[in-house]
Amino acid sequence: MPADTQWPTFEVFQQDRPGRPHKNIGSVHAPDAEIALQNARDVFVRRPRCHSLWVVPATAILARTRQEIEAGILEPLRADPAGATETYLVFQKRNQRNAMEFVEHVGAVEAYTPEQALARAVDTFGLDSGWVWWVFPERAFARSAEEDIPSMFAPAETKTYKRPQEYRTLTMMKEVRRG
Amino acid sequence: MQENDPTYEEKLAAFEARIARGEKIEPGDWMPDAYRKQLIRMISQHAHSEVVGMLPEGAWITRAPNLRRKMVLLAKVQDEAGHGQYLYHAAETLGISREEMLDQLLSGKAKYASVFNYPTLNWADNAIIGWLVDGAAIKNQTMLARASYGPYSRAMVRICAEESFHMKQGKEMVILYAQGTPEQREMVQDALNRWWWPTLMMFGLPDGESHHSKQLMRWGVKTRSNDELRQEFVNEMVPEIHALGLSVPDPDLHYDVETGDWVYGPIDWDEFWRVVKGDGPCNAERMAARRQAHEDGAWVREAVQAYAEKAADSRAISREAGG
């Protein structure tokens, strides 16, 4: 038996429609980003709708809850270490009550380090605006392309037998009761 | 030990206040060790149930009566594989790895829903499983979609949305069988007779005997009790079963005008424990099939690994070439 590797974790972000934010819907294991995208499609896009998927190695993400930030885990803003700044994408979970509130893309900041990016994000958006905060460098993620839509996402739209409303069980039961 | 932390009581009170306010607990937030442990137990068992749950119906994919039923069953079994993955992911956010969970399943250490240790003897079993077993699962999952742990509740919402087709395709088949030939009616009644009691057991032990329930309800993981959900399920199912001209295999079943409940007879919890402990009709078969599938999939994992390594090599070469 070969070593049963489970491979690194990639967090998966789905965009339902153009213009909507990418939201974190779960994770997959894969040996690289290309296969992570394929796995993400198989696991999470068995139903419409999806316009775009992003995958990001979990190790590239700095994730903190508001509670952790308040507890002082956040490093202070330090001025420029060596090197250049880069773009970090900022994600937040903004609502706390509903089940369907995801960690979703809200913007971007320029920073030298992930810690600094998080501090900048908190500064920009205000700590009270998010319950969960994620940042990762823009270069870290892989994404599906516009031309992947027909092969990756469109087939789910045609499989109408997966829609509950395709089954007329309510009407059928009414007919049975009427005899 | 978390309890040795001098601020433990204070943290616990703050945690419970958050739950009382209806806030979701997210990975990274403070939580009692027992909450983490209970969630890992529940979510991983739930994930294993989805994975093992593919087997009873999966066996019928090649014997579907027509192409539409085959596509439907394929999609349903595929969904269950996906649901297992959503749930392994949710459990991983609590600090256990998927590898550990799969090891626990394949080594026989982990538990999964005992209902999947019963055999599927004919096609009508798929109809009844969809209607009863998925119907019961949806009751439980709808409650869990409101669970206090964010990743679990989000996974459950997705699962519920996808499961409703599972239930309805089964119900559609049951209705058609019930209106069919005497042989077809007999087939579906036979399947109903065999699946009714294992389905009622899916809701778990009676409230007085369920040791985990109290803490799970206090911490907002469960919001309704086992007996409450079981009774609601029975109340919904019995009138429909009767309307279809089918019968419930329970001589004690009767309607209580006072409470409006369909009162069911005693559940054979000895049978439940026998099956949970490994002595059900199909436990050994299910585990053997699961292990076989894992071993048979080894070449796929190897090929994926080799492909990724080759892709990494060619990226490195193209970088060296300045491409």
Side-chain angles (χ1 to χ4, degrees), chain A residues 4 6-7 27 29 34 44 46-47 65 67 93 96-97 99-101 161-162 164 167 169 176, chain B residues 18 21 24 26-27 29-30 79 86 89 92 98-99 154 157-158 162 164-165 294 305 307:
Chain A
D4 180 18
Q6 292 287 314
W7 293 310
S27 66
H29 293 256
E34 183 190 350
F44 294 105
R46 283 169 289 107
R47 294 291 190 286
T65 64
Q67 193 182 69
K93 184 188 166 196
Q96 188 59 314
R97 297 284 162 99
M100 288 313 265
E101 289 297 334
Y161 51 87
K162 295 187 189 181
Y167 299 84
T169 50
V176 166
Chain B
R18 291 189 65 191
R21 286 197 297 271
K24 298 284 182 215
E26 296 289 343
D29 284 341
W30 188 91
D79 276 351
Y86 300 168
H89 149 78
E92 280 187 312
R98 190 177 65 172
E99 191 169 4
R154 290 191 285 275
V157 172
R158 282 186 86 92
E162 298 184 358
S164 80
F165 128 72
H294 194 70
Q305 179 69 34
Y307 177 82

Side-chain angles (χ1 to χ4, degrees), chain B residues 127-146:
Chain B
I128 288 292
I129 289 176
W131 192 29
L132 292 190
V133 176
D134 288 280
I138 289 170
K139 281 246 163 281
N140 200 31
Q141 289 164 348
T142 306
M143 169 190 73
L144 292 170
R146 290 189 290 269

